[in-house]
Structures are given as C-alpha cells and as structure tokens.
Amino acid sequence: MFFTASLWNDLMMLIGEITVFLIVGMLIGSVLVMIVAGLSIQSGQFYFPRLMTSGMVLLEGMIKGMCRFFGFDDKDLIQFFIRLHNTMNMKNFVETPVEKRAIFLPQCLRSARCPAHLTPEGLSCRRCGQCDIGRDIDRLQAMGYQVFIVPGSTFMKRIIKKYRPEAIIGVGCLMEVKEGLELCDRIGMVVMGVVTMKDGCVETVLNWDELLEIASTGVTAPDSQ
Ligand code: SF4
C-alpha cells in the first residue's frame, strides 16, 4: 500500500498542527486588529492603515464573533472600517476630476410626501422644499457632480454602467455603505462612504455637512466654496 499507517498518522498530525496554527494565528490577528482599532478610535488617528484594511477584510467574521462574545457593539468597528476606507481612498478621490465623480443618495432621505417620480435613473427631485435633498442637490451639481437619488443597488449598478464615473460618493445606512465599499473595491472603483445618522426606510437623516465636506475635497471651482 502506498500510504502506510504511520505515514497516514504523520499526515493527519501535520494537518492538525497547521489547523491549530491557523486558528491561533487568526485569533491573535483579530485581537491585534481590535486593539489597534480601539486605539485609533480613541486617538482619532489611523495606525497601520493598509495592514488594518487587509486585516479587517480577512478576519471580519472572527472579529465580529469576538465582539459579540465580549459584548461589544460591532457597529463601532464597521464605522471605523468605513472611515479607514475613506482615508485610504482619499488620495485617488482627490485626483479624480469632479466631472468624473458621481454621488448616490438613497431615496429614504426624501420626505414621505415627496412628489418626485421614479425614472430609470432614480428619482427626479422637484425641489419641493420638503426635504434636504432639494436644498443641497443644486449645490452638489453646481460643483460638477452627477447626483442620483436611487432606490437600491440595482439602479446604482445600472447608472455606473451607463455613465462610468471614476469615483463615487455613496450615502446609505451602515451595512449598505460597507457592502457598497466592498463591491466598489472588487470592481476597482474609487469610493467614499457616508453613513446616514438615522437608519430606516422612510425619512432617514444625513449629516449634510459631512457629505459636503467630502464632496468639496479636491474641488477648486468657486461653486465649491
Ligand atoms: S425636495 Fe426633492 S426629494 Fe425632497 S421631497 Fe421634494 S421632490 Fe422629493
């Protein structure tokens, strides 16, 4: 027989040792990522941003499990991941001309009495004054942005395919933004995420100053002031 009993035992031992080594490595890696993330959140400074981004992606499941086990809210960690991601993408975002950027707003930001109609490119805002979209959409467009108010990711993908922006700002709830960032990373698109202040399906709330601050980055036109 090609495999003798002792060779088989040795192979099983080796597989077992490698498995234990990997699990211990992942545990240590997850603890380190959590510690560095905690320190970064406390100090407001990102330590080892590239390593942290890779670590967060690779060890996401384990980090979330550990957060739950120790009773921590993993939302803080996701927020941190989004901020880290924005910081990493900032250079490429700034270097992208504003005419090649687009902003995607979720339709849940609008008023429950919104009179806008849905078109193949999302909602066409009528500037009725019942929500903040109508107040700031002209300002963002005057900067040079294409702004879309979309009901979901299917619209977003279709619009991206049609207009081919090189950089986008995606607004949404925590999980939407996180998943959007990961999707854009996979297709190699520069993306900045802005998380809404109140989740839900109707009349959600956005920190418009945060959006305007990101949108103004690298925009030199007088309209951006
Ligand atoms: S301002 Fe625009 S998006 Fe907001 S409620 Fe009016 S039409 Fe709808």
Side-chain angles (χ1 to χ4, degrees):
M1 213 170 122
F2 184 73
F3 274 110
T4 62
S6 96
L7 190 63
W8 183 253
N9 282 345
D10 287 349
L11 186 65
M12 287 295 109
M13 280 285 283
L14 183 67
I15 292 173
E17 280 171 11
I18 291 174
T19 309
V20 171
F21 180 75
L22 280 176
I23 292 173
V24 172
M26 284 169 74
L27 272 171
I28 293 173
S30 303
V31 171
L32 283 177
V33 168
M34 286 173 69
I35 291 173
V36 177
L39 289 173
S40 299
I41 291 168
Q42 263 190 345
S43 67
Q45 239 189 318
F46 291 113
Y47 302 115
F48 316 111
R50 272 180 207 289
L51 265 178
M52 286 295 286
T53 312
S54 312
M56 297 280 281
V57 172
L58 276 173
L59 303 169
E60 185 186 351
M62 187 165 275
I63 292 170
K64 274 188 181 170
M66 286 175 75
C67 281
R68 279 185 207 126
F69 182 77
F70 290 113
F72 300 138
D73 190 350
D74 60 7
K75 280 186 182 169
D76 288 341
L77 217 57
I78 299 172
Q79 285 270 16
F80 170 77
F81 172 77
I82 293 168
R83 281 179 47 219
L84 180 66
H85 199 285
N86 285 354
T87 306
M88 299 288 292
N89 273 356
M90 183 58 86
K91 185 174 176 292
N92 288 337
F93 183 77
V94 169
E95 287 171 357
T96 308
V98 69
E99 314 79 59
K100 293 184 179 164
R101 300 183 195 172
I103 297 176
F104 289 90
L105 300 170
Q107 69 165 5
C108 57
L109 282 175
R110 66 184 173 148
S111 158
R113 296 175 302 282
C114 175
H117 294 298
L118 191 60
T119 73
E121 298 191 353
L123 282 173
S124 177
C125 175
R126 293 167 67 174
R127 279 74 166 168
C128 74
Q130 294 185 83
C131 81
D132 293 338
I133 295 177
R135 188 195 62 199
D136 282 323
I137 192 168
D138 290 331
R139 197 167 163 194
L140 293 166
Q141 286 175 337
M143 285 184 199
Y145 280 93
Q146 287 182 296
V147 186
F148 302 96
I149 308 159
V150 290
S153 58
T154 313
F155 272 74
M156 200 172 141
K157 284 181 200 157
R158 191 168 61 224
I159 293 166
I160 288 176
K161 216 170 168 184
K162 181 172 176 187
Y163 291 101
R164 303 204 170 276
E166 289 177 13
I168 63 170
I169 302 176
V171 179
C173 67
L174 197 62
M175 290 317 288
E176 270 175 346
V177 170
K178 180 182 170 291
E179 284 163 16
L181 297 187
E182 288 168 353
L183 175 82
C184 288
D185 278 349
R186 281 199 293 277
I187 60 172
M189 173 165 291
V190 179
V191 59
M192 304 291 278
V194 180
V195 179
T196 50
M197 292 160 71
K198 184 186 142 216
D199 281 4
C201 300
V202 191
E203 298 193 344
T204 52
V205 178
L206 172 68
N207 180 348
W208 286 88
D209 288 340
E210 186 187 349
L211 173 63
L212 288 166
E213 191 185 327
I214 292 179
S216 307
T217 317
V219 179
T220 49
D223 288 322
S224 67
Q225 304 307 308

